[in-house]
Amino acid sequence: MKKVGILGGTFNPPHLGHLIIANEALEQYQLDEVWFMPSYSPPHKEKKKVTDSKHRLRMTELAIEDNPCFKLQPIEFEKEGTSYTFETMKLLKDRYQEEQFYFIIGGDMVEYLPKWYNIEQLLELVTFIGVKRPHHTISTPYSILEADVPQIEISSSLIREKYEKQKSIRYFVPENVRNYIEEQRLYES
């Protein structure tokens, strides 16, 4: 059975923290691949603050293009609408029956797990890998694996804020993503 990590997120924009998390989970749990799965419309984000999906999809493609173990999984763009992990993982399990899925989440989401839609059924579909994040613990009543990842305080919101203030985002995102943001003028105020 192929071991596949899933890293979901808004990826607005994808940054080096996302890539480090994916790579550490890949290596620590001997995953065959990590699929980056951008959310079409995440239930916990304000829609007006989320960059157009075609840009987030393209930036994610650019961010992962140099790692053969990283793949883009655009399944949430096929169904559109609000994305719930349980529904998406049911679709993936039906489509990819030979894969064993590991859902990679940050400490902020680990703390939020009890509130996830259909969490008990979701735990039957995936194994969670929790990643420590600054100011969050990996404390949950659920059984999850833990990935030891360097603590880097980079967030998409910080990158957007810096860019709006005309500050450099070099070394926060891959260079090709930075070029795309600048060409498309994505985060200008």
Side-chain angles (χ1 to χ4, degrees), residues 21-22 29 31 51 69 72 78-79 83-84 88 91-92 95 99 102 108 118 124 138 146 150 169 176 179-181:
I21 287 167
Y29 289 98
L31 304 177
T51 302
C69 295
L72 180 68
E78 294 172 18
K79 60 184 186 125
S83 305
Y84 290 99
T88 302
L91 287 171
L92 284 176
R95 198 174 286 182
E99 275 74 5
Y102 293 79
D108 53 336
N118 281 355
E124 295 171 14
I138 299 196
E146 189 175 317
I169 59 171
N176 56 357
N179 290 335
Y180 183 84
I181 290 168

Side-chain angles (χ1 to χ4, degrees), residues 1-3 10 19 40-41 50 59 69-70 74 80 83 92 97-98 113 123 132 134 157 160 167 172 175 183 187:
M1 223 176 205
K2 188 192 250 186
K3 293 169 68 175
T10 311
L19 300 174
Y40 181 78
S41 179
V50 177
M59 287 188 291
C69 295
F70 291 172
E80 301 184 348
S83 305
L92 284 176
Q97 297 176 8
E98 298 301 313
L113 275 178
L123 287 164
K132 288 181 184 168
S157 57
R160 291 191 308 272
K167 305 275 186 199
F172 286 78
E175 192 65 10
E183 288 165 10
Y187 303 116

Side-chain angles (χ1 to χ4, degrees), residues 103-163:
F103 206 87
I104 305 162
I105 58 174
D108 53 336
M109 289 290 111
V110 170
E111 293 170 4
Y112 193 70
L113 275 178
K115 297 178 179 157
W116 279 36
Y117 176 70
N118 281 355
I119 185 61
E120 297 296 336
Q121 294 92 331
L122 178 59
L123 287 164
E124 295 171 14
L125 301 176
V126 301
T127 300
F128 280 100
I129 298 176
V131 175
K132 288 181 184 168
R133 289 196 59 192
H135 317 296
H136 296 280
T137 63
I138 299 196
S139 176
T140 182
Y142 304 107
S143 177
I144 66 169
L145 302 174
E146 189 175 317
D148 188 22
V149 175
Q151 299 285 297
I152 299 174
E153 289 201 51
I154 298 177
S155 69
S156 296
S157 57
L158 171 68
I159 293 165
R160 291 191 308 272
E161 185 179 302
K162 285 178 72 64
Y163 195 80

